[in-house]
Amino acid sequence: MPNTNGRYTKQEVLESGLPYYIPRSKRWEGQGYSFAILLNKTRCAKLGVPILGTPYAEAPLAFLYSANAGAGTPDTQHRYVALYDHTDAYPEIKDKLLPWEIMRV
């Protein structure tokens, strides 16, 4: 269950069985998808492809490790941000995507 900011612990991510991206090593961990566009809620809003429904109504498809998550708070456990599938929007947003937002296995 995510915390109030929508972030997950490493244990929750591992239990989910979903892949997760570690920016420092620039690699995906876990079983990946052959092709997927994976965006966090901030990037979804910025690119005009919002998450469906109320917050957390759309299930995450993967996670992103964020070392700075929880900075300035006592919460050092919830460091994984949910990523949502927006593969269907690829033709419209392909020129605006960051390298890690495109999963190709």
Side-chain angles (χ1 to χ4, degrees):
M1 190 72 168
N3 68 3
T4 56
N5 293 319
R7 293 188 297 263
Y8 295 76
T9 66
K10 183 172 186 173
Q11 185 63 34
E12 290 170 327
V13 169
L14 293 175
E15 288 174 2
S16 76
L18 296 172
Y20 56 96
Y21 187 77
I22 302 175
R24 185 174 185 178
S25 61
K26 297 180 181 177
R27 74 175 192 270
W28 285 95
E29 295 290 335
Q31 181 65 36
Y33 307 102
S34 59
F35 180 77
I37 302 304
L38 302 165
L39 306 172
N40 64 32
K41 67 180 180 178
T42 304
R43 290 287 289 162
C44 286
K46 185 175 183 174
L47 296 174
V49 288
I51 299 168
L52 302 176
T54 59
Y56 317 120
E58 186 176 340
L61 192 66
F63 296 93
L64 169 67
Y65 176 74
S66 176
N68 293 331
T73 74
D75 185 0
T76 59
Q77 299 299 310
H78 293 82
R79 300 232 170 160
Y80 290 81
V81 178
L83 297 176
Y84 302 95
D85 181 22
H86 285 284
T87 306
D88 58 335
Y90 180 69
E92 294 84 30
I93 63 175
K94 65 182 177 184
D95 297 332
K96 301 172 189 168
L97 294 171
L98 302 173
W100 64 265
E101 293 172 333
I102 303 171
M103 178 188 275
R104 289 186 177 109
V105 177

